[in-house]
Amino acid sequence: MAVRSLRGRRHPVIAAMMRRLVVLVLLLALVSIAASGLSGLLERALDTGTTVVDDRAGLALALALTLVGTPSAAALWWWQRRSLTDPAERASLLWALYVMVMTVVALVVSVTAAASAVASAVDGVWRPDQVATAIVWLPVLLWHRGMLRGRASAPTRLPGVATEMAILYGLIVAAGGAVGALSGVFAEAFADVARVAVGTGPWFVPVLQSLVWCASGAAVWWWQRRDRRADGAATAFGSVVLVVVITASAATALFALGTIWFVMLRLLTADAPVAEALAPLDTALAASSVGGIVWAFHAQALVARSATVLAAARLAVAGVALLGAASGVGVVVNALLASIGASLLGGHRTLLLGGVSAIVVGAPAWWAAWRPERGVTAADAASPGRRVYLVVVFGASAIVALVTALLIGYRLFEALLSGVGGLIELIRAPLGLLSATLLVSAYHFAIWRRDRRLAAADGGSAARVERIVLVSAGDAEALASRLRSETGARVSVWRAADAAALIDDADLVRVVGRIREAPARRVLVVGAESGTGARVVPLSG
C-alpha cells in the first residue's frame, strides 16, 4: 500500500513536469517563429531597392510564419499566464530556464542586429534585414524582461542567472570592439614605420565600426549591472562568472604582453624585417590594454566576495600564468636542441625568442598569483579549491608527460628500425614538452604531498563544513546562494511547509558564524521557530 501511495503521488508530479516542458518548448518555438515572420515582412517594407512581390516564396513564408505564429504564441502565453497564479509554476525550473533563455537570446539577437546595422551604415551600406531583426526582437526582449522582473511572473529559481549572462555578453562585445578600434589606430600609427598598407579604404572606417560594437556592448553591460545592483546580493553564479572573466582577461593580457616582448626581442636582435616583426604589435598592444583594464576592474570586485571566490580567482590566474611559463620552457628546450650542430643565430632564433618571451611574462605572473614564498597554514592546505587545483595541474601535466614520452619512444624506435638520421630533429619538440610537463608535475606533486601531511597533522582541529542542509519557508534560493558564497559548502534546500520557518538577513550573520564553528562536516540549518533564531545542528557521519 505504501508503494502504491508513493507512486500515486509521483505520477501527478511527472505529468505536471511534462506539461510544462511541452508548453514552454512550444511557446519558445512559437515566439521565435512569430518574430522571424514579422522581421521578414518588415525587411521587405524597409528594403527600398526591391518591390514586395520580387521574392514571392520568401513573402509567402514570412506571411505564414507571422499569421500562424503570432496568434498561436499569444494564445499559448494567455494560457501560461493563467497558470502562473500557482506558486508551484513560478517555482518550476523549466519556467526559470524558459525566461532566462528567451531573455538572453532576445538580447543577443536584437543588440547584435542593431550593432551590425549601424556598423554597416558607417561604411555606407543599408542593411534592412538587420534593422528589421533589431526592431522586432527588441519588444521580445522587453516582454521577457518584464516576465523576469514582474511580481506575478518572476521565476523563483536561478536568480540572477539571466542578468549575469547578459553582463558577460555585453562585456565580451565591448572588449572585442575596443580591441578592434585600438588595433586599427595602432596599425595606422605603425603603417609608415612598417611601410605596409593597412587597407584599401579609409583607415578610420573599421575603427568607427569597432567603436559601434564597443558602445553597444558597453551599454548592455552598464544596463545589466544596474539591474544587478537593484537586485541586491550577489549570487553564486555571479561569482563563477566573475572568476571566468578574471581568468579570460588575465589570459588575454598575459598572452598579449608575451607577444609584445616577442616583437621587441625580434627588433633588438634584427631577427626579421621591421614590417614582419611589427605585424602582430597593433593587436597585441590593443589586447594587452583592454585585457589589463578588464582584469584590474574585476579584480577590485573580489573585495566584496567571499574568501573562497578570492582564492578561486587567484588559483585560476596562477594556472593561466603557469601554462604560459611552462610552454616557454618547452619552447626554449626545443630551440636549444635544434641548435645542436647549428647556430642559434640561424633559423631557430625566432623559436628561442618566443620561448623566452613566454617565460619573461608567465613566470613573474605565476609567482605573484601563487606566492610560493608565503607560508601555508593548515587551513590553506585543507582548502578544497587548493586541493583541486593541485590535483588538476599535477594530473594533467602527468598525462601530457606520459603521452609525450610514448611519442618520443615511438620516434626513437622508428629511427632505429628505419635507419633514418636526424633523430634530434624528430624528438626535439616532444622532448621540450616533456621537460616542461615533468617539471610542473614534480613541483605540484611535492606541494600536494606537503599539504596532505600538514592537513593530517592538524586533524584534531574542528572539521570544515562541506555540506549544508537548509530547511526554510518561502524562496530559499537566494539564501542558499549566500550560504554557498560565504562558506564554500554545498547547500541542499528543503522547503518547509510552516511559513514561520524563515531566516532573515539579520540572523544570517549569526548562522554563518555558527556554521564555521560547527565541529562536523555536515550541518542542518532550520529556520526560526516560535520567535527563536535559526538553529544550526551539526550532523554526525
Side-chain angles (χ1 to χ4, degrees):
M1 293 297 294
V3 174
R4 291 182 180 178
S5 178
L6 288 175
R7 288 178 178 175
R9 286 196 298 266
R10 190 184 301 125
H11 289 167
V13 174
I14 296 176
M17 183 181 66
M18 295 304 299
R19 173 185 57 80
R20 295 187 192 111
L21 179 62
V22 172
V23 169
L24 294 177
V25 169
L26 188 58
L27 181 60
L28 186 149
L30 289 175
V31 171
S32 302
I33 288 171
S36 178
L38 288 171
S39 61
L41 293 178
L42 185 58
E43 176 190 353
R44 284 161 176 77
L46 295 175
D47 192 356
T48 57
T50 60
T51 62
V52 176
V53 296
D54 278 348
D55 182 12
R56 297 181 183 274
L59 178 60
L61 178 61
L63 286 171
L65 295 177
T66 302
L67 297 179
V68 174
T70 303
S72 300
L76 193 57
W77 166 241
W78 175 80
W79 173 269
Q80 177 64 19
R81 186 176 182 180
R82 290 177 58 193
S83 65
L84 290 176
T85 56
D86 183 4
E89 291 293 329
R90 293 179 54 205
S92 169
L93 179 61
L94 292 173
W95 173 242
L97 287 173
Y98 167 79
V99 178
M100 180 199 70
V101 169
M102 283 303 299
T103 302
V104 174
V105 168
L107 174 69
V108 172
V109 172
S110 59
V111 172
T112 302
S116 298
V118 176
S120 298
V122 170
D123 200 22
V125 178
W126 170 243
R127 294 291 303 275
D129 55 338
Q130 300 293 346
V131 174
T133 301
I135 292 175
V136 170
W137 278 91
L138 180 59
V140 177
L141 167 63
L142 298 177
W143 177 31
H144 285 84
R145 185 175 181 272
M147 296 183 199
L148 188 64
R149 310 189 70 82
R151 289 186 177 182
S153 58
T156 58
R157 306 283 291 272
L158 303 178
V161 173
T163 302
E164 296 295 341
M165 294 293 290
I167 291 174
L168 182 60
Y169 165 73
L171 181 63
I172 292 174
V173 174
V179 170
L182 285 176
S183 63
V185 173
F186 289 136
E188 176 64 20
F190 299 146
D192 293 336
V193 178
R195 293 182 175 86
V196 294
V198 297
T200 57
W203 67 272
F204 56 84
V205 171
V207 172
L208 291 177
Q209 291 176 326
S210 297
L211 286 176
V212 168
W213 285 99
C214 180
S216 302
V220 172
W221 176 81
W222 173 82
W223 176 31
Q224 296 299 316
R225 277 178 60 87
R226 187 187 63 178
D227 285 348
R228 184 173 65 184
R229 286 194 297 268
D231 290 339
T235 63
F237 184 78
S239 299
V240 173
V241 172
L242 179 61
V243 173
V244 170
V245 169
I246 290 175
T247 306
S249 58
T252 301
L254 293 176
F255 180 79
L257 284 175
T259 304
I260 294 173
W261 267 95
F262 178 62
V263 171
M264 299 305 296
L265 290 177
R266 296 191 76 185
L267 292 175
L268 290 175
T269 59
D271 180 62
V274 175
E276 180 183 343
L278 288 177
L281 186 59
D282 53 347
T283 304
L285 286 172
S288 63
S289 302
V290 175
I293 291 173
V294 174
W295 184 8
F297 179 85
H298 288 85
Q300 293 178 352
L302 288 173
V303 178
R305 305 282 176 154
S306 65
T308 303
V309 178
L310 179 61
R314 181 174 60 82
L315 292 174
V317 173
V320 169
L322 177 66
L323 180 62
S327 301
V329 171
V331 171
V332 167
V333 172
N334 185 359
L336 293 177
L337 291 174
S339 66
I340 296 178
S343 173
L344 276 180
L345 299 180
H348 305 301
R349 182 172 57 184
T350 302
L351 191 64
L352 178 66
L353 295 179
V356 170
S357 301
I359 295 174
V360 167
V361 174
W366 172 80
W367 189 280
W370 179 248
R371 292 180 290 180
E373 81 287 354
R374 182 177 62 90
V376 179
T377 64
D380 294 333
S383 170
R386 180 181 174 92
R387 287 186 292 178
V388 169
Y389 171 81
L390 290 173
V391 171
V392 168
V393 173
F394 161 68
S397 56
I399 292 173
V400 173
L402 178 61
V403 174
T404 308
L406 291 174
L407 179 60
I408 293 174
Y410 167 73
R411 292 287 177 83
L412 285 173
F413 286 113
E414 182 185 29
L416 291 175
L417 294 175
S418 61
V420 178
L423 179 61
I424 296 297
E425 188 67 22
L426 290 174
I427 66 171
R428 62 183 178 89
L431 196 57
L433 181 59
L434 178 63
S435 60
T437 52
L438 284 178
L439 182 64
V440 171
S441 180
Y443 172 79
H444 287 85
F445 180 68
I447 296 296
W448 176 70
R449 292 191 62 184
R450 186 197 65 183
D451 285 1
R452 286 192 64 186
R453 291 194 299 267
L454 188 59
D458 194 61
S461 62
R464 182 184 180 277
V465 174
E466 298 178 352
R467 179 75 178 272
I468 299 173
V469 179
L470 173 63
V471 181
S472 178
D475 179 16
E477 291 299 328
L479 176 61
S481 298
R482 293 189 61 181
L483 287 177
R484 292 187 190 100
S485 177
E486 293 290 339
T487 65
R490 294 177 296 168
V491 180
S492 300
V493 178
W494 291 3
R495 198 174 306 277
D498 186 1
L502 290 172
I503 302 177
D504 55 18
D505 292 338
D507 203 23
L508 181 62
V509 177
R510 186 185 65 83
V511 169
V512 171
R514 292 282 304 277
I515 291 174
R516 289 174 176 170
E517 296 172 358
R521 296 188 181 276
R522 297 188 301 166
V523 298
L524 174 68
V525 179
V526 185
E529 298 176 354
S530 304
T532 62
R535 297 174 57 199
V536 178
V537 182
L539 303 176
S540 62

